[in-house]
Amino acid sequence: MPVTLNSIAQQGENGKAMMPIMQGVGRAATEIAYLLRGAVFRGALGAAGGENVQGEQQQKLDVLSDEIFLSEMRSTGFVCAVGSEEQEDLQVIEEYADADFLVLVDPLDGSSNLDVDGPVGTIFSVVRRKTLKDQRPTEADTLQAGRNVIAAGYVLYGPATMLVCSVGQGVHGFTYNPNSARFELSHPDMRIPEKGGYYSVNEANADKWLDQLAEKFAHMKRETGLGMRYVGSMVADMHRTLLKGGVFLYPADWKNPNGKLRLLYEAIPMGFLVEQAGGKAMSRGCSVLDIEPEGLHQRVPVYLGSSSAVDMLV
Ligand code: AFP
């Protein structure tokens, strides 16, 4: 009998809620994967015509994936609000505004890869609300350090669709089986190898890096002998880093003094997974999970991966 999402989601004290939430993520993943496969035939590729709150051009598929994810979180009955990279404000789910959990999501990360049929992903995390149940959830509920995260994960839309997640008891990878129409456990207890693997960074920015990174980076390359891979889609680059080892980084540079990646939507969920897989997740001088968020769309430099490689860079 294949091990399905529920058996992992139910571990821990929030199991009753994490089962429907993880199932909701699984349904959203299946719908988004289907949408991506047929996008070119339905005129769904290309720009939507608007910008998201970061001033980045939204793709039609960004907008559609965001709608799918919100709708699936609504259907769980356990989520009072969703914070999305594609939305300026918190989306309160009015019917369940007294529910205990909030979900933060980047519905379609790496969407600039869509034009070249490259891999993209969905990244999410779950926190418990801070406001009382009879109050309306607010942005303050989402501004919680990564140490408060209850569950996090990502979906990788690659040759197979994979859902990799953790409820704080290790990291487990599920692959969508089209025959059973289920996510089945394919990569139990993922651990980042301490040695080997690749470094993954947009090295074209090296001459602009801050924090004396260029010297530390050259040292790390010499000491570790790591090979190099970079897709430019965080989920794909992090999935490889989790499986093969090495380090993924998006550091600060003089054009992006806080790096490019969003604390709540990218850094914290991935940092949570990396620490659960035995690796290290650092920003400037501290763990990504110890940063107290100040805004929904805040950016931070990130260094994620095998401890020894990360240590040489921070
Ligand atoms: P897009 O969603 O605009 O493609 O950005 C993807 C991303 O946020 C993240 O997935 C990548 O790791 C990073 O940006 C790549 O950024 P560069 O293109 O600057 O290397």
Side-chain angles (χ1 to χ4, degrees):
M1 189 66 182
V3 180
T4 53
L5 266 179
N6 272 350
S7 57
I8 297 295
Q10 71 185 353
Q11 295 172 345
E13 56 190 86
N14 296 292
K16 273 220 164 68
M18 287 317 110
M19 280 199 284
I21 292 176
M22 226 47 110
Q23 290 292 343
V25 172
R27 283 193 304 278
T30 313
E31 289 169 56
I32 294 170
Y34 177 78
L35 181 71
L36 294 172
R37 279 200 300 275
V40 71
F41 306 114
R42 294 189 204 108
L45 285 180
E51 285 186 347
N52 66 13
V53 61
Q54 341 276 331
E56 295 159 346
Q57 211 184 53
Q58 277 180 314
Q59 306 279 319
K60 289 179 200 162
L61 289 169
D62 284 324
V63 177
L64 293 169
S65 306
D66 192 43
E67 286 169 10
I68 291 171
F69 197 88
L70 179 65
S71 149
E72 288 301 348
M73 289 303 103
R74 174 177 288 118
S75 75
T76 68
F78 282 85
V79 178
C80 62
V82 174
S84 165
E85 199 205 280
E86 298 302 329
Q87 302 283 345
E88 183 156 6
D89 302 316
L90 187 67
Q91 307 289 292
V92 176
I93 298 177
E94 300 297 343
E95 311 90 289
Y96 300 108
D98 63 348
D100 286 328
F101 298 96
L102 291 97
V103 177
L104 293 153
V105 67
D106 182 350
L108 201 60
D109 187 64
S111 52
S112 60
N113 277 272
L114 291 168
D115 290 344
V116 295
D117 200 24
V120 289
T122 298
I123 310 173
F124 69 95
S125 61
V126 184
V127 291
R128 185 180 278 278
R129 68 188 297 161
K130 294 193 287 186
T131 44
L132 298 173
K133 275 167 95 64
D134 58 0
Q135 293 170 353
R136 200 178 154 75
T138 67
E139 189 175 314
D141 287 306
T142 66
L143 302 182
Q144 301 195 42
R147 297 286 168 215
N148 293 346
V149 163
I150 291 166
Y154 60 78
V155 181
L156 173 60
Y157 307 100
T161 301
M162 280 197 71
L163 198 170
V164 174
C165 61
S166 174
V167 293
Q169 316 233 350
V171 179
H172 305 283
F174 296 81
T175 303
Y176 184 74
N177 181 345
N179 292 326
S180 64
R182 284 185 184 159
F183 281 96
E184 295 176 7
L185 187 65
S186 51
H187 296 62
D189 199 15
M190 291 163 67
R191 307 289 299 168
I192 298 190
E194 196 30 55
K195 288 211 162 25
Y198 303 91
Y199 72 85
S200 188
V201 63
N202 190 340
E203 225 170 339
N205 297 329
D207 58 346
K208 305 183 200 75
W209 287 343
L210 303 176
D211 307 324
Q212 286 93 46
L213 179 63
E215 282 162 41
K216 295 179 204 162
F217 188 73
H219 171 75
M220 183 279 294
K221 284 206 297 190
R222 274 196 310 276
E223 287 296 309
T224 61
L226 292 177
M228 188 271 189
R229 296 280 187 280
Y230 190 65
V231 176
S233 178
M234 187 190 198
V235 172
D237 284 318
M238 278 308 303
H239 187 63
R240 186 191 53 252
T241 306
L242 279 166
L243 289 175
K244 304 284 184 194
V247 59
F248 167 87
L249 59 153
Y250 207 109
D253 61 52
W254 57 256
K255 274 188 153 176
N256 306 288
N258 292 314
K260 178 181 179 191
L261 303 182
R262 272 69 34 150
L263 175 61
L264 289 174
Y265 303 119
E266 290 162 319
I268 286 181
M270 285 299 184
F272 183 81
L273 294 173
V274 166
E275 287 201 4
Q276 283 292 320
K280 215 159 183 176
M282 296 296 285
S283 187
R284 277 197 179 106
C286 70
S287 163
V288 162
L289 302 186
D290 289 326
I291 301 173
E292 293 292 340
E294 287 166 5
L296 260 182
H297 299 283
Q298 179 181 351
R299 296 171 196 258
V300 291
V302 292
Y303 303 81
L304 309 169
S306 314
S307 305
S308 52
V310 171
D311 282 343
M312 286 182 217
L313 297 174
V314 293

